[in-house]
Amino acid sequence: MIDITAIKRTLEGRAGEVAERLLPKGILEGREWCVGSIQGEPGRSLKVCISGAKAGVWTDFAAGGDGGDLIDLWCAVKQIQLPEALEEIRAWLGLEKPQFEKREKAYRRPAKPSCTAPKSAVKDYLTGARKLSERAIAAYRIGEQGRTIVFPSLVDSELRFVKYRPIDDKRKQRVEPDCEPVLFGWQVIDRNAREVTICEGEIDAPSLFDYGFPALSVPFGGGKGEKQRWIEAEYERLLRFETIYLALDNDPEGEAAVEEIVARLGRHRCRRVILPHKDANDCLTAGIPEAEIRRCFEMAATMDPPELVRAGQFTDDVIRLFWPVEGQRVGYTLPYGKVRDRLLFRPGEFSIWTGPSGHGKSQILSHAGVEWGNQGAKVCIASLEMAPPQFLRRMVKQAGNVDRPTEPFIRRIMGWMDEWLWTFNLVGKTGVQPLLDVFEYARCRYGCDVFVIDSLMRLGIGSEDYQGQEQAVFTLVNWAVEKGVHIHLVAHSRKADTKTGGTAPETEDIKGASEIGSNAFNILGVWRNRKLEDQIKQLSEKADRGDGSAASELDNARNMPPVILNIAKQRNGDWEGKCGLWFDNATYQYRSSQDSRFGVKYVSHDSGVEDAA
């Protein structure tokens, strides 16, 4: 199915050969093939670019700057029209012309209709109610048969199809049966035209003609399927158009027709024209000026797939990544000073938190959740391994920076969290889709933009079901990207080396399918140094018994972080590395070397309200 666009691109790739074939007396100067004029005599007035971004572009300076692409050059040199030129080019390139299976039943050629040029009721209707010019009526060969309009469809001056439409009731319109369904108006289209307009009604076509846009009309109106069966008959004739403007009606039937036409004629050639009114004739009768219609054509939208976007449309987004607007967040950070400016959890991303069981993944995520709420996030937590009251108890300690808060202080903290925190109230297993259904509701109704799932093993997928794990991660990633939210998923790591005591998990340490880590935007490994914890405990006991050397060793041991947070992957960031953390057993808060030893109080007390011991 070689249309003019493919032919043009193929010629550009062989621009030097084309130029030498058409203008053999030329000479090569740098990137340009030079001759005297379109007649091909020696000289330098006509130049053809044969390589680079402008390959195939030519200009004849001796002829006032005439020029174009290689197809135009072929037409000019051979002095033939576009359809004949395309036939020759296809043959030269060795490209087969599209062949179509013949219909079993041959089309009937309609008899010439018994009609005259409009001169009475039909003329009054077309020039009066419809505001068409006599020039447009004549150009489209519209006829009159009593009070019925006759629309003849001709191809190469041969009558192929006829439609009859009474001016008193358009619902009684009819067509000649068993005729080839072709577009109405071919006689007004220049044979060298590279652009064409297709509209939905036989009266819309001459209306666009009056606006300066010679147009073709589909024979059966809007809609899909059989309504657009004319494409089979017209496909080959339409191959010569580089741009096809679709000015169909602005209604559901028109949009359905556009969808069908684009799919079959090629979205790379089609442009959707949105007119100020439902159709072209409505614009004409409403007195819409030509300049406004021309603007509609100039602004006609390409039918690019929604996934295909020009880079320039992201300019402002890229600028904001370099220079964020003051007070405007593009993601959320962790509460630890050492990584706060190095790691950002952005919208439309998916993060994996991994580590051995009991090493604090959920606890750090809980602390981070409190920080995100403080930063303005709306968080939804699905802690499938712990009932809401239990993980909320932990978050209350972290938010209040206190071991045992008083009842009034608990109510105050819970009131603060109630403004930004929602819970998925289920302990046990659930499927990915039921979970996302609840997340979708939380996103739509409450604006939640951070979602936590703890953990992967509770999503109803077997530990050896790698395909199921892969599909679950794909589903979660796609949803996060589509909705512009961030999902945090806890996934256990493989067992640590008991001989060495283990180390902070890396990407390859995630338990399960390799696609879990491959599809994550960020991977955070949590490792708890139990050997250091045991050493601190033993030294503390010795120091309590008055061992001076143990006290010195204890100070040194306590200066070493017992928890390592490994940023093993940050796809959209500039930094990966490890961060040491200290854990406060009373408040469940963590801190890095750059944070206060006294923690952070996210919620202040009411006057007169004190913490419990």
Side-chain angles (χ1 to χ4, degrees), residues 100-122:
F100 299 95
E101 183 180 347
K102 300 295 183 184
R103 294 176 66 92
E104 293 182 4
K105 179 181 177 182
Y107 289 118
R108 181 178 70 84
R109 292 292 174 89
K112 184 178 179 180
S114 176
C115 62
T116 64
K119 58 184 178 180
S120 54
V122 168

Side-chain angles (χ1 to χ4, degrees), residues 172-287:
K172 294 182 179 180
Q173 65 184 4
R174 61 184 180 86
V175 301
E176 287 283 351
D178 303 322
C179 293
E180 185 178 15
V182 297
L183 295 166
F184 170 67
W186 274 112
Q187 66 275 9
V188 306
I189 306 300
D190 189 324
R191 281 176 60 81
N192 289 314
R194 303 273 287 271
E195 299 180 347
V196 71
T197 299
I198 296 177
C199 60
E200 193 172 322
E202 287 79 9
I203 291 180
D204 292 326
S207 299
L208 287 166
F209 182 90
D210 278 335
Y211 276 122
F213 296 93
L216 302 170
S217 172
V218 299
F220 305 118
K224 288 188 174 183
E226 280 296 296
K227 289 289 195 73
Q228 309 310 327
R229 63 182 182 272
W230 59 268
I231 296 176
E232 179 181 345
E234 295 287 21
Y235 189 92
E236 188 174 343
R237 276 186 287 273
L238 290 169
L239 287 174
R240 69 180 171 93
F241 296 105
E242 196 169 351
T243 303
I244 301 173
Y245 290 101
L246 301 177
L248 283 82
D249 291 3
N250 298 331
D251 61 16
E253 288 294 292
E255 291 302 324
V258 167
E259 185 178 334
E260 176 91 1
I261 294 168
V262 165
R264 296 177 64 183
L265 296 186
R267 62 175 62 248
H268 62 290
R269 296 193 291 159
C270 295
R271 307 286 186 274
R272 178 62 165 124
V273 180
I274 303 297
L275 298 171
H277 292 279
K278 176 176 173 289
D279 56 40
N281 190 251
D282 281 355
C283 293
L284 191 65
T285 57

